[in-house]
Structures are given as structure tokens and as C-alpha cells.
Amino acid sequence: MVVSIVLISLIVVVSTSYGWGLFKLLTKLFNMQSVRLPRLTLIIILGMSTLMWIAQLATLLFPISLGVFLVVIAGGVVLIWDFIKTEEIKINVSLPLLGWILIALVSISILENGSHTPINPDTGIYHAQAIKWIESFHSVPGLGNLHTRFAFNSSWLVFNALFSLSFLKIQSFHLVPAALSLV
């Protein structure tokens, strides 16, 4: 469970940094300097979409392994540093005690369920295998010839491969769905 908390926190923090970076870029491109920062959940989801796009581009040339992971983390650190330098950080969360208890219970439930072995039957057929291919090889032309399910749009699987940390040779972690559920 501790590994799940650390990994989900990493996914959320890195996604937040990329979401903020893309939001800042879009406001500059479209000259919308007076636009307020949207809700944190929207920034995180925007960051997840950005990271998914970056991982898909990277998989055209490289396997999604340590090198791509380090580049993504380095980009996140740069964006966090820029955020700290340029933004005024205000945390104003007013929630009754019952709300905090509910958030804690839901978070514990998601963390606990996220650390189970997947029960979706498709995971055994192609999800885990497709993620392993993405971690080991760049985009493989003709992979759909082995099994038609390998030819589906795998953007979600690429994003899972980015944060699976398979290069640690411990196991492949698939906690992106739990992170999205928490967001």
C-alpha cells in the first residue's frame, strides 16, 4: 500500500505540473493572460492527457522505459520549479470533518483496490502483454497481426507503461487507473 501511495502521488504531482505547464502555454499562445487557473482536477486531467500524448510520441522511437521516464520526470521538475517561481500558491480548502472522513475512506478504498491483481479478463488476454511490449520495444509495425487486440488504440496502455516502473525489475505497477479515480 505504501508503494501505491508513493506511485499515485508521483503520477498526480507530475500530471499536475504538466497540466499547469500546458495551461500556461495555451494562455500565452491565445493571449489570455487574465484567465484564472481552473480547478485542480481539471489541471491534473489536462496533465494526464499531455503525458499520454508525450508517451505516445516517445513510443514511436523508444521503448517506454527508464530513459523516457527520467525525461518526463525532469520536465515535471522544471515545470514545478517554474510554478513555484511565478505563481502565488493559495490553499483554501474548507471542508467539514465529515467531508474529510469521506475523502479518507474513499482514498483508502481506491488505494486498497488499486493494489489488487486485476480482475478484468482482458488483462490476461492483452492489456498486460501490450504494456510489456510498450515497455520493451518502440512501436512495433504489424503487432496487430499477432492478435487483433494489440492493434487497438493503446493510449491508455502507453500512459500506464510510462508509470509502471518496470525498469526496476521488481514488477510492473499499473496504478494510473487508481490515480485517475482519486482525482
Side-chain angles (χ1 to χ4, degrees):
M1 178 97 64
V2 173
V3 172
S4 297
I5 292 170
V6 169
L7 274 167
I8 289 172
S9 298
L10 177 70
I11 294 166
V12 170
V13 167
V14 173
S15 296
T16 303
S17 68
Y18 276 87
W20 177 81
L22 183 61
F23 177 78
K24 184 177 175 184
L25 177 69
L26 291 174
T27 55
K28 281 185 180 181
L29 282 176
F30 294 107
N31 200 17
M32 303 182 311
Q33 303 304 331
S34 62
V35 176
R36 283 187 16 205
L37 202 60
R39 290 179 177 229
L40 182 60
T41 52
L42 293 176
I43 291 292
I44 296 169
I45 291 172
L46 181 63
M48 286 181 168
S49 300
T50 304
L51 286 169
M52 195 178 302
W53 181 77
I54 290 168
Q56 284 181 312
L57 285 178
T59 195
L60 294 175
L61 302 171
F62 312 103
I64 302 300
S65 59
L66 179 62
V68 175
F69 179 76
L70 291 177
V71 168
V72 165
I73 295 299
V77 168
V78 168
L79 289 167
I80 289 170
W81 179 256
D82 188 47
F83 178 81
I84 291 170
K85 285 187 348 189
T86 60
E87 295 293 321
E88 182 179 328
I89 300 172
K90 295 180 191 175
I91 299 176
N92 183 14
V93 179
S94 59
L95 197 61
L97 180 62
L98 185 60
W100 286 110
I101 292 171
L102 183 62
I103 287 173
L105 290 174
V106 168
S107 298
I108 290 169
S109 173
I110 289 171
L111 285 169
E112 198 271 328
N113 283 318
S115 61
H116 288 186
T117 302
I119 58 172
N120 185 336
D122 287 345
T123 298
I125 298 171
Y126 71 97
H127 292 166
Q129 292 81 358
I131 291 172
K132 187 65 179 166
W133 273 93
I134 294 165
E135 294 166 349
S136 303
F137 307 102
H138 61 80
S139 291
V140 180
L143 186 59
N145 294 332
L146 292 176
H147 196 293
T148 56
R149 297 200 181 206
F150 288 141
F152 291 165
N153 177 352
S154 60
S155 58
W156 186 249
L157 300 178
V158 173
F159 189 47
N160 274 284
L162 180 63
F163 287 101
S164 69
L165 305 183
S166 65
F167 51 82
L168 296 176
K169 305 290 186 212
I170 302 169
Q171 72 176 50
S172 190
F173 299 100
H174 301 154
L175 293 168
V176 172
L180 182 62
S181 297
L182 279 172
V183 170

